[in-house]
Amino acid sequence: MGRAQEKKQRKRQALLDAAYELFLDQGLEKTSIDSIVSRAKVAKGTFYLYFTDKDAILQALLWKISDNLFDEALAETSQLEGASFTEKLLCLADYMVEYLRRNTLVLRLLRHNLRWPRMDELEETGQPPQLLVKAFRVIRSCPELKGWDEGEIYQVMTALVSMCVSMCYSCVIEQRPDTLDNMKPVLYTIIKKSLQYSPGSPL
């Protein structure tokens, strides 16, 4: 990467860092483009070299946050050599739940906005999303997945991710219907029971 390209990357990252801090500190509505460029210490015109509007930088930021969360969770799960599919999914879920418990500001930002890669990106680009490549590599070796295709694995993981974020938001932010500690066993029991079937069979 040349010096000019590195400079561009630094400016873009400065804008993302500033937006992240402001979105968490004062919320989406109160954060303006002016405040973002002021925090990033760049000219307002620089913002529009990288992003069309505030929503565009929000989407880029959400992808980055989501990708980092899943990447860390998968790294933790990959250490469970020889574990079953259920054990790996529970490890993945537990990492996400505890991460979101510790980072309540991130949880507020991710509500209804968590970014999860789409399977149809494979059809659009000819390449599967890198996050899914990592996910399949971590869990594909589980013996009970014999007969499952990637679409079925993807559906299970998508449901898992949605349940984790939804439960965390309800318990941590809205403080209902119970504490997170009391609801975690319920979530994990649901995950275990939902996996007691083979592809194509009724739940």
Side-chain angles (χ1 to χ4, degrees), residues 74 116-119 128-137 154 157:
L74 287 169
W116 181 241
R118 306 187 332 266
M119 281 291 285
Q130 286 302 305
L131 188 61
L132 286 186
V133 172
K134 293 178 184 177
F136 291 141
R137 185 168 59 242
Y154 174 81
M157 295 187 70

Side-chain angles (χ1 to χ4, degrees), residues 102-116:
R102 294 191 306 270
N103 297 277
T104 55
L105 293 177
V106 172
L107 178 57
R108 289 180 183 275
L109 187 60
L110 289 181
R111 187 195 183 194
H112 304 313
N113 290 306
L114 192 72
R115 292 297 180 263
W116 181 241

Side-chain angles (χ1 to χ4, degrees), residues 61-106:
L61 191 57
L62 290 170
W63 271 114
K64 184 177 180 62
I65 294 171
S66 300
D67 195 67
N68 287 343
L69 170 56
F70 297 136
D71 198 47
E72 290 179 15
L74 287 169
E76 184 76 13
T77 305
S78 67
Q79 299 178 34
L80 299 178
E81 295 183 10
S84 68
F85 184 39
T86 301
E87 289 170 331
K88 288 188 176 183
L89 284 186
L90 289 174
C91 176
L92 191 73
D94 194 66
Y95 188 94
M96 291 178 58
V97 167
E98 292 303 322
Y99 177 94
L100 294 173
R101 184 210 294 266
R102 294 191 306 270
N103 297 277
T104 55
L105 293 177
V106 172

Side-chain angles (χ1 to χ4, degrees), residues 43-63:
K44 190 170 184 178
T46 302
F47 178 93
Y48 292 104
L49 292 176
Y50 305 100
F51 307 102
T52 55
D53 52 26
K54 188 173 75 172
D55 185 64
I57 195 171
L58 172 62
Q59 298 309 312
L61 191 57
L62 290 170
W63 271 114

